[in-house]
Amino acid sequence: MKKITIAEMAKYNGQTVKLGAWIANKRSSGKIAFLQLRDGSGFVQGVVVKAEVGDELFATAKALTQETSVYVTGEVKEDTRSAFGYELAVTDVEVIHEAKDFPITPKEHGTEFLMDNRHLWLRSRRQHAIMKIRNEIIRATYEFFNDNGFVKVDPPILTGSSPEGTSELFATKYFDEDAYLSQSGQLYMEAAAMALGKVFSFGPTFRAEKSKTRRHLIEFWMIEPEMAFIEHAESLEVQEQYVSHIVQAVLTNCKLELERLERDVSKLEKIKAPFPRVSYDDAIKWLNDNGFDDIKWGEDFGAPHETALAESYDMPIFITHYPIGIKPFYMQPHPERDDVVLCADMIAPEGYGEIIGGSERIHDYELMKQRIKEHNLDEEAYAWYLDLSKYGAVPHSGFGLGLERTVAWISGVEHIRESIPFPRLLNRLYP
């Protein structure tokens, strides 16, 4: 007997197979029982007909409880009524373990209850779909950067300094020295770019900011490319090509998951490079002209401002050339203005906010020393970073994409905490 997964059923149409699965739900109608089976690779309906399996097996099938684990044997049949396209005509059921009183029943539950039971909530159809989309975004990320000549490099998670300079950090001890949970691998990736040309990292980052919003997480994952000999405008092209690539990959490979989430795919189908560019100056003017009197030049955007700006477009937009005073120390100044830097934030449509922040990096040694001093940073701690602009400095640029917010946007989910498999305690305290 061939043991297969649900995802493989299409290859075994008309054949008798064996599945290892859990009971996601069930219902019965007279002499027929319908088992909703899941095995991690997908969901499928198993049909148990009393006249075909006998009283004893039918009674076993009717008594199965939610999340009971089973081996199910049956014939794979096409089912045009199902989005999956197949069902299993069950001929045998073997109970592996009976689950009793599973806490997440098919009825509606509150978000906090579901987050408290996140380890079990992951089993639901909705969370399964989100995680499959997350996985596809990760797969497409590696595909894009590998196909475009980037080298994967892993920066440390424990660091001795902060790339952002002013952001709050989670502090710890590295034996007798101060250390911090990384809020970005950027500085290390710049060093790697000076050795390997084009590099990217993918790993966890931590921000000790008590932001109680649906957009923020304390712990999240970042994709951070850095590119030698690439200037600001060229970096924007890479960013829009990358985002277009992952969106199209999800549309191609996650049709069932998007349907399960009731995602309006027509909005995603429009996501193709190039993306609009809007200067910070023009964005502030537009906001002020359209009733936003709570922001002036020199201040950073809040969620309502980003949402309003993005609503005018059907795709992500770049907001470029922010004031130097609200951006980190390492950003390259504008060649014709001393009050703005060569940077951009990519704002996702539909109110999901910033998904990418990037800039051209300073490569002038004296200017970098000056900026480190102006930001009251420890020059000794950044001595190694200064070496990058001391020995063979070149123009270079990079950016960081927040995975969870990107997953939330492409999936169309309301709360960012659904886009990470296991939000930590801090993420639950400060969602």
Side-chain angles (χ1 to χ4, degrees):
M1 180 68 61
K2 181 69 173 178
K3 188 188 294 183
I4 68 167
T5 65
I6 290 171
E8 296 173 314
M9 287 180 64
K11 297 185 291 186
Y12 294 89
N13 186 33
Q15 299 180 44
T16 299
V17 298
K18 185 176 185 178
L19 299 175
W22 293 271
I23 304 298
N25 202 357
K26 77 171 194 304
R27 62 184 176 88
S28 58
S29 176
K31 298 179 180 181
I32 302 177
F34 300 94
L35 310 178
Q36 300 303 316
L37 305 170
R38 66 170 192 87
D39 71 346
S41 74
F43 291 76
V44 71
Q45 178 171 267
V47 181
V48 188
V49 180
K50 184 177 182 179
E52 296 176 359
V53 302
D55 293 347
E56 183 177 352
L57 181 58
F58 188 74
T60 298
K62 286 190 66 175
L64 292 171
T65 55
Q66 185 182 359
E67 289 307 313
T68 287
S69 53
V70 293
Y71 284 122
V72 182
T73 302
E75 182 184 346
V76 178
K77 292 188 175 182
E78 283 194 58
D79 180 11
T80 57
R81 299 164 299 176
S82 162
F84 177 60
Y86 296 89
E87 66 178 16
L88 191 70
V90 176
T91 56
D92 188 44
V93 177
E94 175 190 344
V95 175
I96 301 171
H97 179 266
E98 182 183 6
K100 296 181 179 179
D101 302 320
F102 187 69
I104 304 178
T105 59
K107 72 175 185 179
E108 188 171 340
H109 297 279
T111 301
E112 289 308 312
F113 172 82
L114 293 171
M115 291 309 302
D116 286 342
N117 291 278
R118 179 62 170 170
H119 56 294
L120 300 176
W121 190 28
L122 273 177
R123 304 181 185 189
S124 72
R125 285 178 180 265
R126 176 182 174 85
Q127 300 310 309
H128 180 269
I130 296 169
M131 291 302 107
K132 291 294 287 288
I133 290 171
R134 178 190 174 101
N135 182 69
E136 177 59 23
I137 292 171
I138 294 170
R139 186 206 64 78
T141 290
Y142 277 84
E143 178 180 67
F144 177 84
F145 289 115
N146 287 334
D147 288 351
N148 284 278
F150 286 72
V151 177
K152 171 72 159 50
V153 174
D154 299 313
I157 294 175
L158 283 177
T159 68
S161 59
S162 163
E164 299 296 336
T166 57
S167 296
E168 296 179 47
L169 300 171
F170 285 111
T172 185
K173 282 288 185 181
Y174 186 75
F175 299 101
D176 295 329
E177 298 181 18
D178 291 334
Y180 308 93
L181 290 178
S182 174
Q183 62 178 196
S184 169
Q186 176 199 316
L187 304 190
Y188 299 97
M189 299 308 294
E190 288 186 56
M194 297 305 107
L196 298 164
K198 295 194 294 185
V199 296
F200 76 103
S201 66
F202 174 54
T205 56
F206 306 85
R207 302 288 172 94
E209 299 170 347
K210 298 179 180 180
S211 300
K212 292 189 175 184
T213 77
R214 294 178 182 271
R215 290 182 173 187
H216 291 87
L217 290 168
I218 299 300
E219 175 188 355
F220 57 99
W221 286 67
M222 286 272 283
I223 293 95
E224 296 185 279
E226 291 290 331
M227 301 160 285
F229 306 103
I230 295 295
E231 299 181 19
H232 174 59
E234 297 169 299
S235 177
L236 298 188
E237 293 177 2
V238 175
Q239 294 172 46
E240 62 193 0
Q241 290 164 8
Y242 166 48
V243 170
S244 298
H245 179 79
I246 59 176
V247 170
Q248 295 306 313
V250 171
L251 283 170
T252 300
N253 299 319
C254 296
K255 291 184 173 67
L256 195 60
E257 288 76 17
L258 292 168
E259 181 179 339
R260 187 168 295 144
L261 294 170
E262 298 181 334
R263 184 63 164 111
D264 184 352
V265 296
S266 67
K267 295 181 178 180
L268 296 179
E269 288 167 348
K270 299 175 183 177
I271 310 301
K272 296 178 182 178
F275 299 161
R277 278 89 161 136
V278 180
S279 73
Y280 174 90
D281 293 347
D282 289 342
I284 289 291
K285 183 178 186 306
W286 186 91
L287 288 168
N288 293 159
D289 290 346
N290 284 273
F292 289 89
D293 55 6
D294 59 339
I295 187 170
K296 60 182 183 292
W297 200 97
E299 296 177 344
D300 207 353
F301 300 116
H305 308 126
E306 291 179 343
T307 298
L309 289 165
E311 279 180 349
S312 302
Y313 301 88
D314 293 328
M315 62 179 64
I317 65 169
F318 287 111
I319 300 179
T320 68
H321 306 110
Y322 281 73
I324 193 169
I326 60 174
K327 286 299 181 181
F329 73 93
Y330 51 75
M331 292 190 176
Q332 177 74 11
H334 193 288
E336 299 173 1
R337 295 176 57 177
D338 61 5
D339 58 343
V340 299
V341 289
L342 298 178
C343 71
D345 289 347
M346 184 187 293
I347 311 299
E350 303 177 73
Y352 285 93
E354 178 193 340
I355 56 172
I356 287 181
S359 73
E360 185 173 331
R361 318 311 193 186
I362 292 174
H363 59 277
D364 179 88
Y365 178 73
E366 294 300 328
L367 178 57
M368 183 64 81
K369 282 186 66 176
Q370 176 187 329
R371 295 305 305 278
I372 288 174
K373 184 176 181 179
E374 289 173 352
H375 282 252
N376 298 314
L377 301 175
D378 183 356
E379 187 173 327
E380 183 178 351
Y382 289 87
W384 70 270
Y385 182 62
L386 279 166
D387 281 347
L388 305 184
S389 52
K390 188 176 182 180
Y391 303 110
V394 299
H396 61 289
S397 301
F399 61 92
L401 175 138
L403 177 63
E404 282 73 25
R405 197 176 288 181
T406 303
V407 172
W409 162 50
I410 295 177
S411 301
V413 301
E414 181 180 359
H415 208 301
I416 194 172
R417 287 187 296 176
E418 289 190 81
S419 63
I420 189 169
F422 297 105
R424 301 293 187 253
L425 175 62
L426 288 172
N427 285 334
R428 289 168 52 199
L429 290 176
Y430 300 105

